Structure formats: C-alpha cells, structure tokens
C-alpha cells in the first residue's frame, strides 16, 4: 500500500523538526534583539547532528538508570512549572477554559457558558472535563500534564524492549519545544492525545468478541474517548472499526447500545443546564472546535479512516503510521488554509493559526519515529 511504501523514517524525521521548528521560530521572535531565523538554523543543525551522532552522548551510560532518572527529573520539572507558573499571566487560555468549565459543571451550571481569564470558553467535550476534575480538586488543572507525562513514560516503556530505545524516545520528548510549551502553558491538548495513545497501546482489542464482556469495555472506552475531541474519532476509527465489522450481529448491537447509553449519560451531565436551544447553538464545544478544522473536512476524514481501516492489517506500528498520516492531513490542511487567507507571517507570528494543534500528532510521532529509526542499521549500531 502507498503509505507502507513511503520512506517513513525520513517523513517522521522531517515532521518532528518541522513541528518543533515552528515553536522555536514563533516564540524566539518575541525575545528582543534575537534573530529567530538564526536560532532556528542553530536548532536544526544541533538536532540533525544529534540524530547522526547518538552514541557520542549516551554510549557509556547505564540505559536503565538513565531512563528512570530522566523520567523522575522531568516529572519534577512538570510539577515545578505548574506550581511556579501563574496561568493568569499566560496569553493562552486552554488551561483556564478547562478550569472554569469544570467549576461551572461542579456548580451545576452550563460549562460552555463559563468565561476564562482571556474571555474565551472551553471547547472540551464532556470526557475531557471529567478527566480534569481530579486535578481541579487538587488545585491546578495543569497537573494533568504531569500525570500525562507519566502515562507517556509508561507507553514508552511498553513500546520498546531495549532501554536504549526507551531513552532515545524520552530524549525526543524532553528536547521537544512543542512538548515543553504544552507543559509550561498547562495545556490539555497533548495530554488528551497521550491518553488516547495509551488506550490504543494497552487495550486488548484482539480479545473483543472472544472474551466475556470485553466488548462492553470496548464500547464504553471508545465512546468516552470519542467525547474528548472530534478529531479523536480519526484515531478511534483506525483502531476499532475493522474489529467492529468483524463481530457478529449480537455483539455489534450490544456495542451500539452501550455506546448510546454512555453518550447520552455524558452529554446529559454537561448539557442539562443549557439555557435553551439558541444558547446551545451559540455556545457549544462543537462550534469552537470547528474554527480550526471545518466540520465537513472532519467528517470526510473520519469516513476516509473507516474505509482505510478495512484495508490494513492491524498492528501497533501500522496504526501509529496511519494515525500520523491522517492527523497530519487534518492539521496541515487547516494550516495551509489559514496561510492562504492570511499569509504565513500573520498565521504564525500573530497567532491566527494555533500551532499547538500540531501537538495532536506529537505523541504518536515520538513513538513511531523511534520504531522507524531503530530499524536503521546506523541507529542500531550507535545506540542499541
């Protein structure tokens, strides 16, 4: 198949530096008396040199000790950032949109009417608000990023047999400006997709239909995760649609029933206090999510993933590849569309396009990149 025939190693390699390069370019430009293009060039040179000379850094280190040591140190960094960074001084409101949405929900109010510190509203679907509640209760929804980093570390641990592979993947995350930005700004976006990645990595989909009640858990989690962000349906379609088609009629009916009950319950909890139909039309999370990627394009992509899932054999490596390809199309289409109407400079530097949306790709890309690179003779010789 076409996707399988692409040189994925080079595509993932370029994509990783492109996404992180955008963050370097945009935010270095806000530092006085520093040329952002020069810093970007230096970043690219150092980054490419690091990839070509991995053994220079960690040839003599204890991989196991290094992996757990890095996890602990970065975990502490996420805690420190959440404690000492005042979100009210940030010019991004994703954290406060979740915060005020949860506050309204717990106060038996309509969460999508709540105004955050920048005058915006939450676009999070019900499940993501539910996930944020424990962190809201301990004082800061930003601690979701700390939790999700630990979850991502578990995904790394489970995905690679060699500690060299685990260390290298962790280093890719630690030295990713895009990922660090999400933690610093207490954003829930990358956490959302780390949790999805964790689900597709650990859920035993092969047992659905053969193990008692496994299809019920399948239906519940698929539906709950689908009610985080609309774009998550792209991943879930690639993950579970083929398996759903293979089940008998009775199991399909049971899955649809559990999914419908879960959807109605989750949506009722969040929408029961809406003031009326007109208020819902004006203030709802679907409309806000539609601002970055038109609903028609989202639907077309989801339908495409349903078809594509039937054409591919399921395995984790192939699933990651498919997720990255389709998510890339969604984000790059939106980015290109914004550039067409407003130009590159305004789209990037004046934030007409929110480049954090590229981080829906990042968790999948980090794992997939190491999977591809470890098959390279040079990487195996130098690192593993």
């Amino acid at each position: 198949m076409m996707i399988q025939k692409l040189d994925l190693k080079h595509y993932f390699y370029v994509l990783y530096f492109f996404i992180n390069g955008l963050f370097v370019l945009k935010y270095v430009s806000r530092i006085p008396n520093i040329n952002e293009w020069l810093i970007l060039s230096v970043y690219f040179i150092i980054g490419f040199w690091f990839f070509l000379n991995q053994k220079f850094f960690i040839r003599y280190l204890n991989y196991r000790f290094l992996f757990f040591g890095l996890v602990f140190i970065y975990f502490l960094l996420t805690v420190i950032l959440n404690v000492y960074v005042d979100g009210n001084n940030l010019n991004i409101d994703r954290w406060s949109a979740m915060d005020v949405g949860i506050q309204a929900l717990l106060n038996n109010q309509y969460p999508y009417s709540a105004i955050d510190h920048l005058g915006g509203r939450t676009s999070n679907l019900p499940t993501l608000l539910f996930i944020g509640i424990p962190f809201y209760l301990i004082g800061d929804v930003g601690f979701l990023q700390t939790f999700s980093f630990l979850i991502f570390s578990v995904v790394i641990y489970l995905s690679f047999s060699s500690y060299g592979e685990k260390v290298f993947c962790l280093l890719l995350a630690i030295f990713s400006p895009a990922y660090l930005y999400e933690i610093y700004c207490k954003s829930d976006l990358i956490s959302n997709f780390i949790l999805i990645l964790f689900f597709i990595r650990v859920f035993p989909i092969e047992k659905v239909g053969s193990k008692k009640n496994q299809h019920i858990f399948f239906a519940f989690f698929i539906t709950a995760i689908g009610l985080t962000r609309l774009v998550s349906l792209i991943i879930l379609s690639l993950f579970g649609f083929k398996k759903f088609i293979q089940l008998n009629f009775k199991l399909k009916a049971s899955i649809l029933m559990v999914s419908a009950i879960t959807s109605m319950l989750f949506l009722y909890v969040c929408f029961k206090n809406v003031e009326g139909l007109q208020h819902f039309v004006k203030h709802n999370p679907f409309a806000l999510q539609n601002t970055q990627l038109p609903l028609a394009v989202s639907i077309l992509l989801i339908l495409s993933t349903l078809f594509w899932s039937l054409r591919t054999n399921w395995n984790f490596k192939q699933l990651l590849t498919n997720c990255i390809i389709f998510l890339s199309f969604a984000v790059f289409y939106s980015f290109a569309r914004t550039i067409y109407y407003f130009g590159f400079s305004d789209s990037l530097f004046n934030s007409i396009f929110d480049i954090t949306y590229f981080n829906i790709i990042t968790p999948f890309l980090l794992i997939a990149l190491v999977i591809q690179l470890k098959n390279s003779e040079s990487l195996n010789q130098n690192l593993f």
Side-chain angles (χ1 to χ4, degrees):
M1 295 182 182
M2 183 178 295
I3 290 180
Q4 293 172 321
K5 292 179 180 179
L6 290 173
D7 190 344
L8 294 171
K9 177 180 68 175
H10 292 99
Y11 170 67
F12 293 159
Y13 190 59
V14 171
L15 184 58
Y16 174 83
F17 282 106
F18 176 82
I19 292 173
N20 287 288
L22 286 178
F23 282 83
V24 172
L25 191 61
K26 178 176 180 177
Y27 292 103
V28 171
S29 71
R30 299 180 180 182
I31 303 175
N33 304 318
I34 295 181
N35 187 301
E36 63 271 17
W37 292 100
L38 177 61
I39 299 299
L40 179 65
S41 300
V42 172
Y43 170 74
F44 282 155
I45 291 170
I46 294 175
F48 279 101
W49 185 79
F50 174 77
F51 267 85
L52 295 174
N53 298 274
Q54 304 93 353
K55 67 178 181 179
F56 178 83
F57 295 94
I58 54 180
R59 180 177 180 181
Y60 303 106
L61 297 177
N62 183 306
Y63 294 142
R64 179 170 183 156
F65 175 80
L66 182 60
F67 175 74
F68 290 107
L70 287 173
V71 168
F72 179 72
I73 292 170
Y74 207 69
F75 166 78
L76 289 181
L77 175 64
T78 66
V79 173
I80 292 170
L81 286 176
N82 274 295
V83 170
Y84 288 100
V85 173
D86 184 354
N88 291 298
N89 294 328
L90 299 174
N91 196 32
I92 185 170
D93 64 349
R94 195 169 277 124
W95 74 270
S96 61
M98 171 179 272
D99 188 85
V100 297
I102 293 172
Q103 183 181 43
L105 187 64
L106 295 179
N107 289 330
N108 207 31
Q109 300 170 349
Y110 182 56
Y112 302 106
S113 294
I115 305 297
D116 63 42
H117 80 293
L118 294 181
R121 293 178 173 86
T122 183
S123 64
N124 295 331
L125 296 181
T127 304
L128 202 52
L129 292 178
F130 299 157
I131 290 172
I133 289 176
F135 307 100
Y136 172 84
L137 294 177
I138 64 175
D140 193 335
V141 294
F143 285 118
L144 172 59
Q145 317 319 314
T146 299
F147 173 73
S148 68
F149 169 70
L150 293 178
I151 293 296
F152 186 63
S153 300
V154 172
V155 174
I156 293 174
Y157 184 86
L158 295 176
S159 298
F160 304 106
S161 57
S162 163
Y163 274 98
E165 297 165 8
K166 296 171 185 177
V167 166
F168 192 70
C169 189
L170 190 60
L171 288 174
L172 288 178
I174 289 174
F175 291 110
S176 167
Y179 189 21
L180 181 61
Y181 175 87
E182 289 279 320
I183 296 173
Y184 181 83
C185 293
K186 307 172 185 282
S187 172
D188 58 78
L189 183 64
I190 201 169
S191 294
N192 186 173
F193 288 87
I194 286 174
L195 294 175
I196 296 174
L197 174 62
F198 176 74
F199 170 72
I200 65 175
R201 180 63 183 85
V202 303
F203 188 85
I205 192 171
E206 70 281 354
K207 295 182 180 179
V208 175
S210 61
K211 187 175 180 180
K212 185 178 179 181
N213 296 329
Q214 196 70 36
H215 65 287
I216 296 177
F217 294 107
F218 173 74
F220 173 79
F221 284 114
I222 285 282
T223 305
I225 292 171
L227 289 172
T228 55
R229 277 186 169 87
L230 288 176
V231 73
S232 68
L233 295 176
I234 292 174
I235 304 164
L236 298 176
S237 298
L238 292 167
F239 174 70
F241 183 69
K242 184 175 183 178
K243 184 63 177 181
F244 174 77
I245 292 296
Q246 294 172 344
L247 299 175
N248 61 48
F249 176 79
K250 183 178 179 180
L251 288 176
K252 287 178 183 175
S254 179
I255 287 173
L256 291 175
M257 182 178 68
V258 172
S259 180
I261 293 172
T262 303
S263 298
M264 288 188 291
L265 178 62
F266 281 29
L267 292 173
Y268 172 76
V269 171
C270 285
F271 291 98
K272 63 184 175 67
N273 292 309
V274 66
E275 296 173 8
L277 180 60
Q278 288 186 341
H279 188 81
F280 171 79
V281 171
K282 187 176 180 180
H283 302 299
N284 68 83
F286 308 103
L288 288 173
Q289 292 191 20
N290 192 39
T291 59
Q292 290 294 331
L293 186 66
L295 183 60
V297 177
S298 297
I299 293 173
L300 180 61
L301 278 173
I302 293 168
L303 292 176
S304 299
T305 57
L306 295 178
F307 171 76
W308 189 259
S309 69
L310 298 176
R311 292 171 52 86
T312 56
N313 295 321
W314 197 98
N315 62 70
F316 185 59
K317 177 182 176 181
Q318 185 63 53
L319 178 62
L320 287 177
T321 299
N322 291 340
C323 288
I324 293 169
I325 296 295
F326 281 98
L327 291 175
S328 295
F329 181 86
V331 181
F332 275 102
Y333 169 83
S334 183
F335 190 41
R337 180 171 170 265
T338 306
I339 292 174
Y340 176 79
Y341 286 109
F342 300 99
F344 177 79
S345 182
D346 283 341
S347 296
L348 179 64
F349 297 109
N350 294 328
S351 301
I352 293 177
F353 181 82
D354 186 355
I355 62 172
T356 61
Y357 279 95
F358 278 102
N359 276 328
I360 70 175
I361 307 169
T362 298
F364 306 91
L365 179 62
L366 293 172
I367 301 294
L369 179 56
V370 176
I371 290 176
Q372 292 296 328
L373 287 175
K374 77 174 184 177
N375 295 325
S376 165
E377 182 179 353
S378 62
L379 185 62
N380 283 322
Q381 289 177 349
N382 290 344
L383 183 59
F384 307 127

